[in-house]
Amino acid sequence: MNIRGLQKTTLLDYPGHVASTIFTAGCNFRCPFCHNGELVLDPSSLEPISEEEVLAHLNKRKNVLDGVCISGGEPTLDPDLTSFLAKVRETGLSIKLDTNGYRPEVLRKVIDEDLVDYVAMDIKAGRDNYADACGLPNIDMANIEEAVEILASSGIVHEFRTTCVKGLHTLADFEDIAAWLPGDSLYFLQDYKEGPTVINPVYESFSVEELEKFVEVLKPAIPATAIRGL
Ligand code: SF4
């Protein structure tokens, strides 16, 4: 695995778990609001971390940890993902995968092979706005829609989530997401946060009142909608 970051302990990345988060290099999206600019655009500028080092850390701390979050970048791009997840499985820790859902065949494989316990998939925007939100002008929405269907029918615990970005999203995005995602989904809105590593730092955060308006539109269709981090 091309690992370029390791957060040794986090209470935030894996709901209900004390976890370590592993950051993989590279991404097939170019979300302008991405706050992992170095990992996406220039991962070779970050120190590589070997699988052995990560696994040694997990084994050493498994009396404190109960989960591992595999994040990025986009982990499903890494050809060694499944073999690495199999090694992480041996630690006995619960595994969460963060993904943008653009490689549904990999998502299906890791679920079918019982290599993940929880999946968090980004929903970048309403379908008409997806290309702008993910920075991919020729995006094939069929991949995203397939990933949503895989998760919805998988039986695996999962969430969908959207980073809400003023200047990129409007109420129309959330009206479309309400009509699109399965009604029994767990769906989180997360507010955009400015920072030095954002790819295109021209955006702003929404106010709490604005986020609550989106929730009002979403809740009738997706009752388990919530704002994360308030
Ligand atoms: S936000 Fe996620 S999907 Fe988008 S460019 Fe960054 S790492 Fe990739």
Side-chain angles (χ1 to χ4, degrees):
M1 284 281 281
N2 190 351
I3 298 167
R4 299 280 167 161
L6 172 64
Q7 185 166 1
K8 290 190 168 175
T9 311
T10 172
L11 298 173
L12 299 177
D13 289 352
Y14 192 166
H17 290 74
V18 181
S20 287
T21 300
I22 293 156
F23 297 92
T24 63
C27 189
N28 43 3
F29 283 2
R30 290 291 181 273
C31 310
F33 55 87
C34 176
H35 61 85
N36 278 337
E38 282 178 315
L39 264 179
V40 171
L41 301 176
D42 189 17
S44 59
S45 68
L46 303 168
E47 274 297 305
I49 303 171
S50 69
E51 287 188 12
E52 291 69 29
E53 190 179 332
V54 171
L55 293 165
H57 160 71
L58 297 178
N59 279 311
K60 188 170 157 206
R61 299 302 305 276
K62 63 185 179 188
N63 54 334
V64 177
L65 300 170
D66 59 3
V68 182
C69 180
I70 315 287
S71 191
E74 175 49 44
T76 63
L77 291 179
D78 197 305
D80 296 328
L81 178 66
T82 49
S83 63
F84 180 66
L85 288 175
K87 293 174 200 166
V88 176
R89 258 288 176 250
E90 288 173 13
T91 67
L93 297 168
S94 187
I95 302 173
K96 170 178 180 255
L97 175 70
D98 290 345
T99 182
N100 62 26
Y102 205 49
R103 300 200 71 205
E105 68 283 6
V106 178
L107 183 59
R108 191 186 299 280
K109 185 171 166 64
V110 298
I111 291 172
D112 285 352
E113 294 185 9
D114 189 29
L115 293 172
V116 291
D117 301 293
Y118 189 108
V119 177
M121 177 178 158
D122 295 339
I123 299 295
K124 297 296 182 188
R127 287 165 287 189
D128 288 345
N129 193 24
Y130 227 90
D132 284 346
C134 75
L136 221 61
N138 298 318
I139 186 163
D140 182 354
M141 282 304 294
N143 288 342
I144 301 294
E145 300 203 18
E146 186 179 343
V148 168
E149 282 165 25
I150 288 169
L151 285 176
S153 60
S154 65
I156 196 164
V157 187
H158 62 277
E159 67 174 55
F160 299 107
R161 60 194 187 176
T162 300
T163 300
C164 303
V165 186
K166 197 168 186 170
L168 196 55
H169 295 116
T170 67
L171 194 61
D173 287 283
F174 301 98
E175 286 169 347
D176 184 63
I177 290 167
W180 170 21
L181 295 185
D184 59 355
S185 299
L186 201 54
Y187 179 49
F188 292 100
L189 302 183
Q190 308 173 157
D191 208 4
Y192 166 73
K193 292 196 175 29
E194 292 171 20
T197 57
V198 169
I199 288 181
N200 185 8
V202 298
Y203 298 105
E204 291 177 28
S205 306
F206 285 106
S207 66
V208 173
E209 291 72 26
E210 288 170 315
L211 292 174
E212 282 171 347
K213 286 216 167 57
F214 301 152
V215 172
E216 267 175 42
V217 165
L218 287 153
K219 275 246 181 200
I222 310 172
T225 297
I227 302 170
R228 177 168 273 151
L230 282 189

